[in-house]
Amino acid sequence: MNVWIGFLINLQFFTVFPIKKQLPMERKYMHRAIQTFPLVGLLLGLIMGGGLYALVEWTPFSSLAIAFFLWVLTIALTGGLHLDGWIDASDAFFSYQDKERRLEIMKDSRTGAFGVISVIVLLAARFLFIYEIVERFNEWTAFLIIALPLLSKCVMGYLLIRMPLAKEEGLGAFFQQAVKKSSLPIYGLYLLVSSAVALVIDVKLLALYASMCLAALLFLLYLKRKINSWFGGITGDVLGASVEGVELWLWLILWLLHYFAMG
């Protein structure tokens, strides 16, 4: 029951699914929410991967139209929540100010030029990758797209659990107060089970999935080294920006895999 409530809390916070009931926010439920971050990613991935498969196999739409539908879906499913963090963090990062000033900039509700430019570049790059992936769609594409948000939520959860807070308020602080030692190990189970599913389907698919896992790990290690020097720790905006950053990186990896390993 606690796990289910934790999962619903995630749907309420991080997706557009209409969870209108009042959910308890005690520490035990928030702990379960942290443990089920990757399950929310899996759900989003199933919608994206399943939607792509259905559009490619069962509709007459062009690759451009299908890519556009999938691109919009990547934004709509979360209501642009993480994009907001990307914009705020970009404004702060490109201000080239000290950590304290950057935190002040992220709190400002106004959007600056750097935030606008960075989100345009991010969304344009994502559309390019999605379009060319759709053009080269094969039997393993849908599985790897399903895995993409699962991996990004693993990265988000790890940062939340292991990185210090930049400030003692906001969404990041709200979730981190529920962190326990048992919050992280279950992420390994998610990766093990998803790897086993890939292996059952095909050993080559497992190798492709392992490539994406390795890419996500490298991006995570990079963020661990840089977040403290850039912002002094994590905030809700920094976590949102991290999700967008790792997902763009994984779209890039998936695009390259379609050119050089899945052709």
Side-chain angles (χ1 to χ4, degrees):
M1 186 64 178
N2 289 358
V3 173
W4 176 243
I5 292 175
F7 182 72
L8 290 179
I9 289 171
N10 286 332
L11 293 183
Q12 199 170 65
F13 271 98
F14 300 117
T15 74
V16 294
F17 299 123
I19 310 298
K20 297 182 179 180
K21 66 182 293 185
Q22 187 72 28
L23 297 171
M25 295 294 171
E26 285 87 353
R27 190 168 184 263
K28 62 181 179 179
Y29 300 119
M30 300 306 296
H31 167 63
R32 294 302 187 184
I34 294 167
Q35 288 186 317
T36 55
F37 282 168
L39 294 183
V40 174
L42 177 62
L43 175 62
L44 300 180
L46 285 168
I47 294 170
M48 292 191 296
L52 173 61
Y53 182 86
L55 288 169
V56 169
E57 297 293 335
W58 302 328
T59 73
F61 297 137
S62 68
S63 295
L64 180 61
I66 293 171
F68 179 75
F69 290 146
L70 180 57
W71 179 75
V72 170
L73 196 58
T74 65
I75 301 168
L77 285 173
T78 62
L81 176 68
H82 300 314
L83 284 175
D84 182 67
W86 175 268
I87 293 168
D88 290 341
S90 296
D91 274 333
F93 176 79
F94 288 110
S95 70
Y96 299 108
Q97 301 292 320
D98 58 31
K99 298 174 187 177
E100 290 72 21
R101 179 61 183 143
R102 283 176 170 175
L103 293 177
E104 291 176 10
I105 291 171
M106 279 195 288
K107 287 178 65 176
D108 194 331
S109 60
R110 294 170 295 181
T111 300
F114 288 120
V116 173
I117 293 169
S118 68
V119 78
I120 290 173
V121 171
L122 180 140
L123 291 175
R126 186 193 296 174
F127 183 79
L128 168 66
F129 299 146
I130 289 175
Y131 172 69
E132 295 223 328
I133 288 167
V134 171
E135 281 275 277
R136 295 171 175 270
F137 181 90
N138 66 25
E139 68 269 28
W140 295 320
T141 300
F143 179 93
L144 295 174
I145 287 177
I146 290 169
L148 193 152
L150 182 151
L151 294 175
S152 72
K153 293 299 188 292
C154 285
V155 169
M156 182 180 80
Y158 183 93
L159 293 174
L160 177 70
I161 293 165
R162 290 301 178 91
M163 295 294 290
L165 290 169
K167 58 180 184 177
E168 299 296 328
E169 58 182 353
L171 192 58
F174 177 67
F175 272 89
Q176 199 180 75
Q177 54 83 29
V179 166
K180 297 180 181 179
K181 289 182 179 180
S182 59
S183 298
L184 189 59
I186 195 170
Y187 287 24
L189 178 61
Y190 295 139
L191 296 176
L192 184 63
V193 170
S194 55
S195 297
V197 172
L199 178 60
V200 168
I201 296 172
D202 195 288
V203 68
K204 185 175 180 180
L205 177 59
L206 175 62
L208 295 169
Y209 178 52
S211 299
M212 292 186 65
C213 290
L214 177 60
L217 175 61
L218 292 174
F219 198 88
L220 172 61
L221 294 175
Y222 176 74
L223 289 176
K224 280 189 67 179
R225 291 188 60 187
K226 294 297 184 179
I227 283 176
N228 278 340
S229 61
W230 289 342
F231 303 106
I234 60 168
T235 69
D237 283 333
V238 170
L239 290 174
S242 299
V243 171
E244 291 295 344
V246 72
E247 288 191 355
L248 183 64
W249 170 245
L250 291 175
W251 281 115
L252 167 64
I253 297 301
L254 186 53
W255 173 64
L256 292 174
L257 289 174
H258 276 78
Y259 266 96
F260 300 109
M262 298 169 65

